[in-house]
Amino acid sequence: MPRILAIDYGNKRVGLAVTDPLGMIASPLETIHSKDLVAYVLAYHQREPLRAIVVGMPRTLLNEPTDVTSAVVGLLRTLRRALPELPIHELDERFTSRMAHATMLAGGLGQKARRDKATVDRISATIILQSFLESPLMREV
């Protein structure tokens, strides 16, 4: 069965997470450089068919755009053009980095591991994906 891919976009790094083949469990996948993202997603879709993509939409606590929001909007446009057959969803990503740090702490990761931004990005993408799996948007996939 096709998987669902989640993207936690940043100007330098992008955290990725993916579901299991049954689409029930979200797991961290990889952290890549943002300039390589579209090529990576296209190649991944060739290897492992996707049934949807979920992109975290960065907003401030006051629900205003952040410095990364415009880049994410551009990414959404690019992905929708490159993969018109796939539903591409946006999901509010406020608090995901904070939740990722709390998850790492609860999981017993040491301070050095918690400072690794690539790990935080992967876990943030996993939280975005898990939130999507539990949301009403999942019924559309």
Side-chain angles (χ1 to χ4, degrees), residues 10 30 33 98-99 103 107 113-114 124:
E30 197 165 344
H33 195 282
R98 190 170 295 160
M99 291 168 65
T103 300
R114 291 192 312 265
S124 293

Side-chain angles (χ1 to χ4, degrees), residues 7-47:
I7 299 171
D8 179 36
Y9 187 86
N11 286 327
K12 292 182 183 177
R13 284 177 322 280
V14 178
L16 300 170
V18 70
T19 60
D20 64 309
L22 297 177
M24 298 172 62
I25 300 168
S27 300
L29 179 63
E30 197 165 344
T31 303
I32 61 172
H33 195 282
S34 58
K35 68 177 176 53
D36 301 327
L37 177 61
V38 174
Y40 181 92
V41 171
L42 293 173
Y44 187 87
H45 183 49
Q46 291 294 316
R47 286 190 319 271

Side-chain angles (χ1 to χ4, degrees), residues 52-132:
I53 296 174
V54 182
V55 180
M57 182 57 72
R59 306 292 288 179
T60 68
L61 292 178
L62 299 174
N63 199 28
E64 295 173 346
T66 70
D67 57 334
V68 181
T69 303
S70 62
V72 173
V73 170
L75 170 66
L76 287 166
R77 198 175 306 121
T78 300
L79 288 174
R80 286 180 175 135
R81 264 194 305 254
L83 299 163
E85 73 281 6
L86 283 182
I88 299 177
H89 301 275
E90 302 169 31
L91 195 73
D92 187 342
E93 72 164 23
R94 281 179 281 188
F95 304 112
T96 55
S97 291
R98 190 170 295 160
M99 291 168 65
H101 281 285
T103 300
M104 293 165 72
L105 187 61
L109 284 173
Q111 187 174 10
K112 184 178 180 183
R114 291 192 312 265
R115 274 193 236 134
D116 180 18
K117 293 181 188 304
T119 301
V120 173
D121 291 339
R122 282 191 303 275
I123 293 174
S124 293
T126 306
I127 291 168
I128 290 167
L129 184 52
Q130 189 62 46
S131 297
F132 177 79

